[in-house]
C-alpha cells in the first residue's frame, strides 16, 4: 500500500512515549481533588477507532468527551493509506459474488484460525454498514476492484487528495465530531483508571498542563490508544529482542497505555506476540512494498546474497528481514526492464525522491553494489547464479526458491538497489474484548465500564489480515463499544 508520509495532518509531533512499568493498582478517587468532569462516555485516544467511538456515542445521545495525550490526533491512522476492508457497502453493490460468509472465512484462514470467531463475525456483519456510515458523514471513498485474493473487491479507500488517506479519514471525522458537539481534550494523558469498591470502572485520571484531572464516565471508558509498537521495552518483552530492531512505520507515540491501564483491573491480555509488519526504508518513511511484489528483481542482504523468497507477502517478508539479517537491512536489486510493468520502477524512484530518499543507482551490478554499500563480488555472483537459473527454467530450484511464474533475468541496466528494512506497523495483542467490545478479566468475565477497540483491543487479529482490516476493526468495534457504553449510561440514569 502506498503511503504518503510527509503531508500528514498539520502540526508538529511533540510529546514523549511511555516506558513499560509495573501496573499500579487503580484506586477510588482521592479526597480533596477538584470536582471531576462527568460524562456518559469517556473515550481515550483520538485516532480512528476513538473518533468513530466518540461520534457513535454522541449520536446515541450520550454526553461524550474524547481525550488525547498529544497536541493533535497523532496515531498510526495518520500514516496509513486509508484502506478499510468490508463487504456489503453501497460502494460494493456491483459485487454480489462476494458474501459476509466468504469474508469471514478468509479472515479466519489468514489468522491460522487463531482469531476469535465471534469477533470476526461481528466485523464481517458490520463493516459494510460502517463504510456507509462514514460516507454519510462526508468521507469520500472509492472501491479498488478485482485485486488478488483475499483483497478481491473488498478494499474501500479514502483518497488523500494531497495528504495520506488515513489523515483524510480523521479530518472528515473531526468535522463530524465538531458538528455533533463532541470536544477533543488534547495534551490530556490517561494515567489511571478510577474504579469503585466493586472494581467497576467509573472514569479515568489524567495528566494535563494544568495538573491532574479526573473524567467520570457513567456508561464507561473506551480505550482506543492504539497498541505498543513504539515502546521498545514492551516489544522486546512480548515479541522478542529481535523485534526491537524493527523500524516503527507509524506514530512514535503508540506506547502501550492500553496495557498499563487495563492491567490495573486485571484484564486478560491475548495475542501479545502478534503484530502487523511491512517493509520500510531504514530512514524516512518510504514504503517499497509495491515494487517488491512486481515480479522483477531479487532481494538481497547487505552481504549481497538472497535470503527470502521474493514472492512472500509483506508481513512475513518484513519479519524475515529483521530475523534473517544482522542489521535489519536489505535491498531489492532491480533493472530498468521493470518499467515494462506500468513504469513501476520509475514511479517508485520518483516517490522516494519526494520523500527525500535517493535510491542507489549504477550502470553495472558492481557499480550499484558499491553505491549501496553492498559487497560487489558477492552480489555479482548472486546475479550470475540467478540469471543462469532463469535461463535454464530452474529459478524455483534456487535456495531460497524464486517462485514467480515468469522470472526476468537481471541484464538491463541501469540497476537500482531499493532499500527495505522490516517495519512495525501495529501490534495485534491487547486486552481481550467480547462481542460487545467489553474488556474481560482473567476469568473471561466482562469488567464493568471498560471497553477497548482498534489496536488497543486484543482477540480480533492474529498472524495476518486482509488489507484494510486494521482500520476496519477500529471502526467496527469503536462503534460497538460506543453503543454499549451509551446504553449502559442510559440504564444508569434510569435506575436513579
Amino acid at each position: 500500500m502506498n503511503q504518503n508520509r510527509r503531508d500528514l495532518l498539520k502540526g508538529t509531533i511533540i510529546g514523549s512515549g511511555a516506558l513499560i512499568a509495573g501496573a499500579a493498582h487503580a484506586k477510588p478517587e482521592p479526597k480533596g481533588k477538584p470536582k471531576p468532569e462527568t460524562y456518559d462516555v469517556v473515550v481515550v485516544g483520538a485516532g480512528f477507532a476513538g473518533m468513530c467511538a466518540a461520534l457513535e456515542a454522541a449520536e446515541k445521545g450520550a454526553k461524550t468527551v474524547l481525550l488525547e495525550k498529544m497536541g493533535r490526533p497523532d496515531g498510526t491512522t495518520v500514516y496509513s493509506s486509508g484502506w478499510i476492508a468490508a463487504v456489503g457497502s453501497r460502494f460494493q453493490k456491483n459485487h454480489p459474488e462476494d458474501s459476509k460468509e466468504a469474508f469471514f472465512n478468509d479472515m479466519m484462514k489468514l489468522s491460522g484460525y487463531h482469531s476469535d470467531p465471534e469477533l470476526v463475525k461481528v466485523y464481517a456483519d458490520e463493516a459494510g454498514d460502517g463504510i456507509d456510515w462514514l460516507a454519510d458523514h462526508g468521507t469520500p471513498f472509492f472501491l479498488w476492484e478485482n485485486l488478488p485474493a483475499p483483497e478481491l473487491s473488498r478494499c474501500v479507500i479514502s483518497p488523500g487528495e494531497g495528504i495520506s488517506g488515513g489523515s483524510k479519514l480523521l479530518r472528515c471525522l473531526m468535522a463530524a465530531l465538531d458538528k455533533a458537539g463532541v470536544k477533543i481534550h488534547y495534551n490530556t494523558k490517561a494515567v489511571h483508571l478510577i474504579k469503585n469498591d466493586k472494581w467497576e470502572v467509573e472514569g479515568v485520571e489524567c495528566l494535563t498542563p494544568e495538573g491532574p484531572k479526573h473524567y467520570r464516565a457513567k456508561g464507561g471508558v473506551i480505550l482506543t490508544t492504539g497498541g505498543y509498537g513504539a515502546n521498545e521495552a514492551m516489544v522486546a518483552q512480548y515479541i522478542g529482542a529481535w523485534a526491537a530492531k524493527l523500524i516503527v512505520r507509524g506514530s512514535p507515540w503508540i506506547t502501550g497505555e492500553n496495557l498499563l491501564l487495563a492491567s490495573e483491573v486485571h484484564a486478560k491480555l491475548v495475542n501479545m506476540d502478534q503484530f502487523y509488519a511491512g517493509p520500510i526504508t531504514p530512514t524516512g518513511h518510504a514504503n517499497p512494498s509495491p515494487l517488491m511484489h512486481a515480479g522483477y528483481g531479487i532481494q538481497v542482504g547487505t552481504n549481497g546474497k538472497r535470503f527470502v523468497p521474493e514472492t512472500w507477502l509483506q508481513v512475513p517478508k518484513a519479519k524475515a528481514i529483521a530475523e534473517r539479517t544482522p542489521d535489519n537491512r536489505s535491498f531489492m536489486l532491480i533493472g530498468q526492464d521493470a518499467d515494462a510493468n506500468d513504469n513501476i520502477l520509475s514511479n517508485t524512484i520518483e516517490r522516494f525522491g519526494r520523500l527525500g530518499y535517493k535510491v542507489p543507482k549504477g550502470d553495472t551490478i558492481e557499480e550499484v553494489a558499491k553505491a549501496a554499500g553492498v559487497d560487489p563480488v558477492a552480489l555479482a555472483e548472486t546475479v550470475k547464479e540467478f540469471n543462469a537459473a532463469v535461463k535454464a527454467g530452474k529459478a524455483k530450484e534456487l535456495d531460497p526458491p524464486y517462485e514467480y511464474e515468469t522470472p526476468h533475468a537481471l541484464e538491463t541496466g541501469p540497476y537500482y538497489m531499493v532499500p527495505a528494512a522490516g517495519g512495525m506497523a501495529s501490534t495485534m495483542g491487547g486486552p481481550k474484548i467480547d462481542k460487545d467490545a467489553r474488556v474481560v478479566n482473567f476469568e473471561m468475565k466482562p469488567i464493568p465500564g471498560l471497553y477497548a477497540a482498534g489496536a488497543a483491543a486484543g482477540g480480533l487479529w492474529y498472524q495476518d489480515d486482509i488489507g484494510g482490516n486494521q482500520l476496519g476493526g477500529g471502526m467496527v468495534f469503536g462503534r460497538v463499544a460506543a453503543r454499549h457504553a451509551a446504553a449502559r449510561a442510559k440504564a444508569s440514569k434510569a435506575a436513579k
Side-chain angles (χ1 to χ4, degrees):
M1 294 181 286
N2 293 335
Q3 298 179 344
N4 187 325
R5 297 172 181 271
R6 293 187 73 190
D7 298 320
L8 307 178
L9 291 173
K10 294 181 179 179
T12 302
I13 299 177
I14 59 173
S16 61
L19 295 177
I20 187 169
H25 288 294
K27 49 187 178 292
E29 184 183 334
K31 295 180 180 180
K33 291 283 186 182
K35 184 177 180 180
E37 293 189 16
T38 300
Y39 296 86
D40 294 326
V41 177
V42 175
V43 184
V44 184
F48 184 58
M51 289 188 188
C52 287
L55 183 58
E56 179 76 11
E59 293 185 340
K60 290 297 183 286
K63 182 183 178 183
T64 304
V65 67
L66 179 56
L67 311 179
E68 170 55 46
K69 71 176 182 178
M70 304 306 295
R72 64 168 205 174
D74 201 16
T76 298
T77 301
V78 174
Y79 300 83
S80 77
S81 297
W83 293 31
I84 303 177
V87 297
S89 73
R90 71 179 66 152
F91 302 93
Q92 297 159 310
K93 60 184 179 181
N94 293 329
H95 291 278
E97 73 282 356
D98 206 354
S99 68
K100 293 180 179 179
E101 181 181 6
F103 191 34
F104 169 87
N105 289 336
D106 283 345
M107 288 186 285
M108 288 301 299
K109 182 178 179 180
L110 282 172
S111 79
Y113 300 95
H114 290 295
S115 288
D116 184 334
E118 190 173 51
L119 299 182
V120 176
K121 186 177 187 304
V122 171
Y123 182 104
D125 287 343
E126 296 208 14
D129 289 339
I131 293 291
D132 291 344
W133 175 78
L134 289 171
D136 289 341
H137 288 85
T139 305
F141 286 112
F142 70 89
L143 178 63
W144 197 341
E145 301 183 82
N146 303 317
L147 293 170
E151 275 73 22
L152 303 176
S153 295
R154 295 166 173 169
C155 295
V156 180
I157 307 166
S158 179
E161 300 169 349
I163 58 175
S164 70
S167 294
K168 186 68 174 181
L169 289 173
L170 294 189
R171 288 189 177 186
C172 292
L173 280 167
M174 290 171 71
L177 288 168
D178 185 62
K179 186 176 181 180
V182 177
K183 300 297 183 183
I184 304 177
H185 290 197
Y186 294 106
N187 300 308
T188 302
K189 179 179 173 63
V191 292
H192 288 298
L193 294 177
I194 300 169
K195 64 180 178 61
N196 62 22
D197 292 337
K198 296 180 180 180
W199 276 44
E200 297 171 333
V201 175
E202 294 187 335
V204 62
E205 180 181 351
C206 297
L207 295 181
T208 76
E210 293 75 34
K213 189 173 183 178
H214 287 195
Y215 290 84
R216 302 300 295 266
K218 297 177 181 178
V221 172
I222 305 175
L223 300 179
T224 56
T225 59
Y228 61 91
N231 187 322
E232 186 175 321
M234 285 187 177
V235 169
Q237 177 186 4
Y238 291 117
I239 301 174
W242 69 269
K245 295 189 297 182
L246 291 162
I247 294 169
V248 177
R249 292 183 64 184
S251 170
W253 315 124
I254 304 301
T255 48
E257 285 85 353
N258 60 321
L259 307 181
L260 299 175
L261 293 169
S263 292
E264 293 182 346
V265 287
H266 292 193
K268 180 181 178 67
L269 305 181
V270 298
N271 303 345
M272 294 304 297
D273 61 340
Q274 299 297 304
F275 63 96
Y276 186 79
I280 198 70
T281 50
T283 59
H285 288 100
N287 184 353
S289 292
L291 183 62
M292 293 174 70
H293 299 103
Y296 289 80
I298 58 175
Q299 191 164 355
V300 298
T302 52
N303 62 0
K305 298 179 180 180
R306 294 177 61 243
F307 64 95
V308 65
E310 284 77 3
T311 50
W312 279 11
L313 297 178
Q314 69 170 5
V315 173
K317 185 175 284 189
K319 293 179 179 179
I321 298 171
E323 288 181 303
R324 299 185 183 187
T325 69
D327 49 4
N328 189 24
R329 296 291 186 270
S330 74
F331 293 91
M332 194 71 190
L333 171 62
I334 199 160
Q336 192 62 45
D337 60 330
D339 265 356
N341 186 349
D342 297 326
N343 292 318
I344 192 165
L345 175 60
S346 297
N347 291 339
T348 299
I349 294 169
E350 180 184 350
R351 177 166 54 86
F352 274 38
R354 292 198 304 269
L355 296 172
Y357 204 104
K358 186 176 180 180
V359 176
K361 175 184 176 182
D363 291 328
T364 66
I365 297 298
E366 291 81 3
E367 189 176 315
V368 75
K370 291 177 182 178
V374 172
D375 184 340
V377 175
L379 184 61
E381 183 60 32
T382 297
V383 172
K384 180 180 178 181
E385 180 185 10
F386 171 74
N387 287 347
V390 169
K391 292 175 182 179
K394 296 182 178 181
K396 293 182 180 180
E397 298 177 20
L398 289 168
D399 182 22
Y402 193 87
E403 297 180 325
Y404 285 113
E405 289 301 323
T406 309
H408 302 268
L410 282 162
E411 297 178 318
T412 308
Y415 301 97
Y416 297 85
M417 297 281 274
V418 181
M424 169 79 75
S426 62
T427 50
M428 295 178 175
K432 176 70 175 70
I433 59 172
D434 66 10
K435 63 182 179 63
D436 295 319
R438 299 176 296 182
V439 175
V440 301
N441 61 18
F442 298 135
E443 294 74 42
M444 293 297 290
K445 295 180 180 179
I447 299 170
L450 186 61
Y451 303 83
L460 180 58
W461 306 124
Y462 191 99
Q463 183 175 285
D464 202 354
D465 59 18
I466 294 174
N469 270 162
Q470 297 295 313
L471 287 178
M475 172 189 70
V476 167
F477 285 96
R479 297 183 71 207
V480 168
R483 291 198 296 267
H484 201 275
R488 189 170 180 269
K490 186 176 182 179
S492 174
K493 294 175 185 177
K496 295 180 180 179

